């Protein structure tokens, strides 16, 4: 994470580990429409799994869509998926806003005790932790390398926009803080996820001109 600002204003930027893990696991579980707001899939894409959320097939049944055991299994799978979606969203909301984010990761193998009351989510994490860990580690390393190599430019993207706004207003900026989470999403864009928190795509952050174009009206609304 790096921080830019003064005593009056502050912008933080990071690629939070638990958010990477959460989005990877969301996509693995096929929770396409879960989120507040719903974020695009991650990139590179992860292969979805169905074992926790799909009903087993019954090829021997002449009427698989109406056979009672299949219907019951489908209903149970739907209920599990609904529970998983609710549990995942609660985890996401706890992680996405910096003030509410736990000081230590909730992802503590092998038992992931933080999810003892979210059994479907705990099952998902326990089974696919290694795959999600590898994917997240690669994405986090990519962000860290880029951020370190382009630190001066990225800092200027933030500071220059604030100073331009101060010059326009002929005064110094008042107090504000904005926390930016940069995540590898398949669609470019930015999403407000909390009072002072925004998620932006890695592709938007990598495009300095596009980032400044997005950031300028945000600063205008804050200053």
């Amino acid at each position: 994470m790096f921080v830019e600002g003064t005593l009056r204003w502050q912008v933080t930027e990071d690629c939070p580990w638990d958010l990477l893990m959460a989005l990877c696991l969301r996509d693995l579980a096929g929770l396409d429409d879960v989120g507040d707001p719903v974020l695009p899939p991650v990139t590179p894409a992860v292969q979805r799994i169905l074992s926790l959320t799909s009903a087993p097939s019954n090829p021997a049944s002449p009427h698989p869509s109406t056979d009672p055991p299949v219907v019951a299994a489908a209903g149970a799978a739907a209920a599990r998926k609904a529970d998983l979606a609710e549990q995942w969203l609660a985890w996401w909301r706890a992680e996405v806003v910096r003030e509410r984010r736990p000081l230590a990761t909730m992802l503590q193998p092998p038992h992931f005790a933080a999810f003892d009351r979210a059994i479907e989510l705990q099952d998902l994490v326990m089974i696919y932790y290694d795959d999600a860990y590898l994917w997240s580690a690669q994405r986090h390393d990519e962000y860290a390398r880029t951020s370190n190599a382009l630190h001066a430019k990225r800092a200027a993207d933030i500071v220059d926009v604030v100073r331009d706004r101060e010059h326009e207003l002929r005064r110094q900026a008042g107090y504000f803080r904005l926390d930016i989470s940069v995540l590898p999403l398949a669609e470019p864009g930015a999403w407000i996820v909390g009072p002072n928190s925004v998620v932006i795509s890695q592709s938007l952050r990598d495009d300095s001109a596009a980032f400044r174009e997005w950031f300028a009206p945000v600063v205008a609304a804050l200053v």
Side-chain angles (χ1 to χ4, degrees):
M1 182 176 73
F2 75 83
V3 181
E4 290 299 330
T6 67
L7 292 176
R8 298 180 308 280
W9 63 271
Q10 183 184 88
V11 176
T12 72
E13 181 185 311
D14 196 10
C15 179
W17 173 260
D18 280 16
L19 298 192
L20 287 171
M21 291 287 290
L23 288 178
C24 181
L25 289 163
R26 178 203 66 174
D27 285 10
L28 283 170
L31 301 176
D32 303 298
D33 57 350
V34 179
D36 185 19
V38 177
L39 300 183
V42 297
T43 184
V46 295
Q47 183 175 358
R48 293 183 176 181
I49 51 90
L50 300 175
S51 59
L52 292 180
T53 58
S54 295
S57 61
N58 186 3
S61 171
H63 305 291
S65 62
T66 58
D67 188 67
V70 174
V71 171
R80 287 197 303 273
K81 187 168 184 177
D83 289 342
L84 176 59
E86 182 179 348
Q87 293 164 14
W88 182 90
L89 185 56
W91 176 33
W92 175 259
R93 286 172 172 164
E95 293 287 351
V96 76
V97 178
R98 202 180 83 175
E99 293 95 329
R100 298 203 304 262
R101 194 173 302 159
L103 294 177
T105 178
M106 297 173 68
L107 297 165
Q108 297 288 346
H111 302 297
F112 305 98
F115 302 131
D116 280 349
R117 296 187 179 182
I119 299 302
E120 284 74 21
L121 179 59
Q122 189 179 52
D123 286 345
L124 179 70
V125 176
M126 290 179 72
I127 295 171
Y128 295 102
Y129 176 78
D130 290 342
D131 292 337
Y133 184 97
L134 179 59
W135 183 91
S136 299
Q138 292 171 343
R139 306 292 81 75
H140 196 272
D141 288 348
E142 289 167 1
Y143 170 81
R145 287 194 300 269
T146 302
S147 184
N148 289 335
L150 301 177
H151 177 78
K153 181 171 182 159
R154 291 194 165 190
D157 287 342
I158 294 169
V159 174
D160 288 352
V161 170
V162 177
R163 288 179 176 169
D164 287 346
R165 179 61 174 166
E166 288 178 327
H167 180 74
E168 178 185 351
L169 295 175
R170 299 296 192 268
R171 63 170 174 80
Q172 293 182 326
Y175 174 79
F176 77 87
R177 199 192 80 238
L178 183 67
D179 301 320
I180 300 174
S181 296
V182 182
L183 298 171
L185 302 173
E187 299 173 17
W191 297 264
I192 298 172
V193 294
N196 304 303
S197 301
V198 178
V199 165
I200 69 171
S201 64
Q202 183 71 57
S203 56
L204 175 59
R205 191 61 183 102
D206 289 344
D207 185 335
S208 179
F211 176 84
R212 290 183 182 224
E213 184 179 358
W214 163 76
F215 190 50
V218 174
V219 172
L222 292 172
V223 174

